């Protein structure tokens, strides 16, 4: 079936599901409520917006409190084991609620559902879950929802892969003024610790004209900032029938009238081109922030991780970015405790932290993911040793970020106002181009607009400023 036919079919299912929900709403004398809970990354969050868009169209009221909902759907993540444990925790709590209210429906989707062992557990231990699907057939959510609403048995539908990209189904955005956009799906890199390529499938890029069209529609609907999403945006477009590079895509997106800011995530260091740096340096819209996951600073560990760059080439890249775009923030991800990692390897990681001067770094303890090459290794490390090394890395990362924060004090910057400050309602909170937060006096009328701010003071990881009158 072509993508357009598939899209039409799903719209028909939305209408059919809407009929059922309308009847139930009438019987109950109120609207059915549903809650979508996101466990994963930005791509997972974007998928949740797609689920929510369909649920709204079908006639559900969307609410945040999952305990009040008639239908709860968990969009799961499995990148580290603690993400899985959280989902089982929620399911455990739901068990007694389902006993009291057999009408309560529960759905599970996302990356964790692509693991056969998880499906086995749900089949045997969590029979009260109504609907289970994975990452490859999420575009069939309307159809699956319809099946769930017209049946009492557990529906499990998991696919191994897909080559379909279905466009133009309803989406419910969390923010009016900013949005994530998938530019590609899946990953081909197979870093040896990582489960993402197994649960998200092979890399597929969307056509540039579809991406531009989606952004134009978003802009017409009030969006001023977009975040282009992919596991490795730097390899965008290579496998399209008419190949195009990521930097060429950025140039196209830059041309969109009314769009003010462009962000992207994530950049794999092995594919970050000089072209991209040049396009960023010249651009008026691309934000000054690159998330550049390091994972490890040890060449031996990097090789065993299958990252395909070295400590030296990584630092050269950082240098190039700093020279071409001096005020660019660089952030990173680091894994501590990869099998066989020694304290000396961790010294190398700390050396890169010192030299790269990250604005921020997310540090993770290595989590063994079944099915990945690293999980099969015999030299898994002792937990206490890993914790010690982790603390060493974490404290260094925090010190460096603190030293680095402050370089904008005394400058004038533009902030996109996102919300009223949580602690003081005479202040608003905005995000700067480099992704730092700034708090300054303001009111709710500013939300969603770009405001010039004089940066007065740095406080830990955020700034205090004053809007320019
Ligand atoms: N595609 C992105 C990363 C996506 S996963 C990239 O390559 O940069 C986000 C982060 O989770 C990774 O950067 C890595 O630091 C971390 N991660 C992935 N697998 C992990 C594992 N098995 N244990 C601990 N952290 C992991
Ligand atoms: Fe995982 Fe590596 Fe792909 Fe990132 S690039 S998603 S870390 S396999
Ligand atoms: Fe994202 Fe987690 Fe899946 S990080 S791609 S939701 S495994």
């Amino acid at each position: 079936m072509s993508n357009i036919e598939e899209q039409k079919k799903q719209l028909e299912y939305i209408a059919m599901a809407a009929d059922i929900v309308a009847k139930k709403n009438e019987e109950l004398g109120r609207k059915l409520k549903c809650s979508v809970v996101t466990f994963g990354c930005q791509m997972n969050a974007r998928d949740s917006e797609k689920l929510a868009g369909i649920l709204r169209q079908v006639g559900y009221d969307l609410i945040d409190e999952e305990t009040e909902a008639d239908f709860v759907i968990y969009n799961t993540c499995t990148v580290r084991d603690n993400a899985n444990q959280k989902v089982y925790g929620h399911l455990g709590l739901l068990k007694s609620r389902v006993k009291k209210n057999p009408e309560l429906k529960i759905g599970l989707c996302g990356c964790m559902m692509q693991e056969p062992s998880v499906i086995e557990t749900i089949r045997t231990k969590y029979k009260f879950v109504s609907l289970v699907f994975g990452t490859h057939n999420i575009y069939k959510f309307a159809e699956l929802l319809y099946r769930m609403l017209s049946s009492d048995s557990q529906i499990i539908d998991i696919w191994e892969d897909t080559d379909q990209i279905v466009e133009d189904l309803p989406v419910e955005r969390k923010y009016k003024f900013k949005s994530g956009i998938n530019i590609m799906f899946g990953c081909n890199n197979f870093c040896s610790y990582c489960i993402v390529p197994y649960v998200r499938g092979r890399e597929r890029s969307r056509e540039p004209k579809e991406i531009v069209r989606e952004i134009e529609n978003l802009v017409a609907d009030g969006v001023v900032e977009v975040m282009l999403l992919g596991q490795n945006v730097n390899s965008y477009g290579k496998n399209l029938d008419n190949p195009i590079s990521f930097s060429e895509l950025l140039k196209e997106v830059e041309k969109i009238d009314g769009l003010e800011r462009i962000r992207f995530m994530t950049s794999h260091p092995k594919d970050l081109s000089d072209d991209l740096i040049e396009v960023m340096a010249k651009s008026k819209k691309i934000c000054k922030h690159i998330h550049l996951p390091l994972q490890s600073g040890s060449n031996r560990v990097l090789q065993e991780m299958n990252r395909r760059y070295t400590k030296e080439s990584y630092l050269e890249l950082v240098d190039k970015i700093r020279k071409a775009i001096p005020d660019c923030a660089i952030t990173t991800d680091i894994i501590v405790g990869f099998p066989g990692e020694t304290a000396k390897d961790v010294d190398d990681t700390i050396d890169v932290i010192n030299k790269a001067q990250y604005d921020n770094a997310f540090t993770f303890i290595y989590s063994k993911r079944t099915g990945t090459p690293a999980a099969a290794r015999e030299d898994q490390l002792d937990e206490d040793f890993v914790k010690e090394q982790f603390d060493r890395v974490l404290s260094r990362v925090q010190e460096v970020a603190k030293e680095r924060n402050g370089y904008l004090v005394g400058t004038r910057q533009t902030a996109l106002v996102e919300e009223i400050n949580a602690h003081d309602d005479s202040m608003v909170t905005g995000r700067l181009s480099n992704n730092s937060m700034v708090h300054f006096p303001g009111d709710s009328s500013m939300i969603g607009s770009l405001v010039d701010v004089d940066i007065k003071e740095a406080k830990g990881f955020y700034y205090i400023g004053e809007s320019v009158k």
Side-chain angles (χ1 to χ4, degrees):
M1 194 177 287
S2 79
N3 295 354
I4 304 228
E5 283 166 334
E6 184 62 50
Q7 182 231 7
K8 270 204 191 130
K9 195 174 108 186
Q10 293 308 314
L11 293 175
E12 282 164 20
Y13 275 112
I14 290 180
M16 280 151 65
D19 282 344
I20 302 180
V21 169
K23 278 199 197 98
K24 291 209 177 183
N25 287 352
E26 214 176 282
E27 275 166 34
L28 285 168
R30 63 166 176 91
K31 269 180 108 176
L32 281 172
K33 289 181 272 190
C34 93
S35 181
V36 182
V37 187
T38 304
F39 287 89
C41 61
Q42 276 101 339
M43 268 158 279
N44 191 254
R46 182 65 180 158
D47 286 344
S48 291
E49 294 187 340
K50 295 178 183 173
L51 300 174
I54 288 168
L55 287 161
R56 163 90 72 206
Q57 200 91 348
V58 161
Y60 280 94
D61 250 351
L62 291 164
I63 58 167
D64 288 335
E65 308 75 23
E66 55 176 291
T67 49
E68 309 276 307
D70 304 288
F71 178 34
V72 187
I73 180 151
Y74 295 116
N75 191 7
T76 64
C77 170
T78 186
V79 76
R80 287 170 289 276
D81 187 54
N82 52 8
N84 297 45
Q85 293 316 317
K86 264 192 227 160
V87 172
Y88 287 128
H90 279 253
L91 286 178
L93 293 174
L94 275 171
K95 219 169 203 164
S96 60
R97 276 190 58 214
V98 177
K99 266 195 195 129
K100 276 185 236 143
N101 175 10
E103 282 297 303
L104 176 62
K105 300 261 185 202
I106 293 151
L108 286 169
C109 65
C111 295
M112 195 178 149
M113 300 305 124
Q114 292 298 139
E115 289 183 90
S117 61
V118 170
I119 298 301
E120 213 28 59
T121 308
I122 293 164
R123 243 188 247 285
T124 50
K125 287 204 188 134
Y126 300 95
K127 295 200 174 86
F128 61 90
V129 173
S130 309
L131 174 62
V132 184
F133 58 100
T135 55
H136 303 303
N137 55 345
I138 186 167
Y139 68 83
K140 282 191 178 280
F141 177 54
E143 184 175 341
L144 292 161
L145 183 63
Y146 171 76
R147 281 173 56 197
M148 178 189 90
L149 290 167
S150 22
S151 141
D152 280 328
S153 46
Q154 187 178 55
I155 296 167
I156 300 185
D157 192 5
I158 306 292
W159 298 6
E160 297 243 319
D161 213 340
T162 183
D163 51 13
Q164 275 213 302
I165 299 179
V166 181
E167 311 276 352
D168 287 334
L169 291 171
V171 180
E172 168 101 5
R173 294 199 310 278
K174 192 167 169 208
Y175 297 95
K176 187 102 195 72
F177 50 88
K178 67 171 184 176
S179 179
I181 310 278
N182 298 106
I183 62 166
M184 59 209 296
F185 302 93
C187 180
N188 284 351
N189 289 308
F190 290 94
C191 302
S192 65
Y193 50 82
C194 183
I195 200 164
V196 171
Y198 304 89
V199 296
R200 284 269 168 181
R202 292 297 63 72
E203 190 179 290
R204 282 157 292 138
S205 296
R206 284 176 73 194
E207 287 293 338
K209 64 173 191 318
E210 297 289 355
I211 296 168
V212 168
R213 195 164 59 100
E214 184 177 349
I215 299 175
E216 283 169 347
N217 289 339
L218 287 169
V219 169
D221 196 35
V223 164
V224 292
E225 179 181 297
V226 291
M227 163 93 80
L228 309 180
L229 299 171
Q231 293 297 353
N232 175 11
V233 292
N234 297 326
S235 73
Y236 168 79
K238 285 185 181 151
N239 299 323
L240 285 170
D241 290 341
N242 298 308
I244 154 172
S245 69
F246 180 54
S247 51
E248 283 165 334
L249 175 73
L250 282 172
K251 283 195 231 165
E252 290 305 309
V253 175
E254 174 110 17
K255 286 183 203 150
I256 299 172
D257 269 341
L259 179 68
E260 307 274 359
R261 277 181 164 185
I262 306 165
R263 298 184 184 277
F264 55 84
M265 193 158 237
T266 297
S267 275
H268 194 303
K270 80 177 163 66
D271 296 313
L272 199 149
S273 67
D274 290 352
D275 245 18
L276 173 64
I277 299 176
E278 200 184 313
V279 168
M280 279 186 83
K282 284 194 189 135
S283 166
K284 299 227 167 6
K285 296 186 178 175
I286 303 173
C287 290
K288 305 272 184 270
H289 173 213
I290 300 184
H291 186 63
L292 196 63
L294 168 71
Q295 314 302 3
S296 167
S298 151
N299 283 336
R300 186 183 57 82
V301 174
L302 282 172
Q303 197 184 8
E304 290 175 9
M305 286 178 161
N306 192 27
R307 289 292 286 178
R308 285 172 277 176
Y309 52 83
T310 61
K311 174 185 181 186
E312 292 74 24
S313 68
Y314 182 95
L315 284 169
E316 247 170 64
L317 190 56
V318 168
D319 225 36
K320 253 195 244 171
I321 298 168
R322 295 252 184 260
K323 284 211 177 88
I325 321 164
D327 47 354
C328 188
I330 301 181
T331 57
T332 203
D333 292 342
I334 293 167
I335 297 176
V336 181
F338 183 80
E341 186 175 59
T342 64
K344 214 169 148 287
D345 292 320
V346 177
D347 289 343
D348 276 327
T349 301
I350 291 178
D351 191 39
V352 178
I353 297 169
N354 289 335
K355 291 186 169 132
Q357 292 286 301
Y358 293 114
D359 291 74
N360 198 1
F362 300 94
T363 313
F364 305 109
I365 287 186
Y366 166 77
S367 172
K368 187 171 152 183
R369 307 317 288 135
T370 309
T372 61
R377 289 176 56 147
E378 307 261 315
D379 50 354
Q380 308 287 328
L381 298 177
D382 170 72
E383 239 176 73
D384 292 337
F385 169 75
V386 174
K387 187 78 187 51
E388 244 171 65
Q389 302 305 316
F390 177 82
D391 289 344
R392 232 161 41 96
V393 171
L394 188 66
S395 62
R396 195 58 212 134
V397 156
Q398 286 171 343
E399 283 158 19
V400 165
K402 227 187 210 162
E403 282 163 28
R404 170 115 175 115
N405 192 265
Y407 67 104
L408 293 179
V409 173
T411 65
R412 181 167 288 182
Q413 301 287 328
T414 306
L416 173 58
V417 181
E418 298 199 336
E419 58 199 7
I420 295 287
N421 188 301
H423 304 290
D424 177 353
D425 63 9
S426 69
M427 307 271 277
V428 290
T429 299
R431 203 174 283 272
L432 303 175
S433 172
N434 77 349
N435 212 35
S436 294
M437 305 299 285
V438 59
H439 305 295
F440 58 97
D443 59 56
S444 61
S445 69
M446 288 175 165
I447 293 175
S449 52
L450 288 145
V451 177
D452 284 337
V453 181
D454 284 327
I455 307 293
K456 300 282 182 196
E457 207 183 324
K459 288 220 172 167
F461 294 101
Y462 59 89
Y463 290 99
I464 303 288
E466 241 169 56
S467 63
V468 180
K469 293 281 171 341

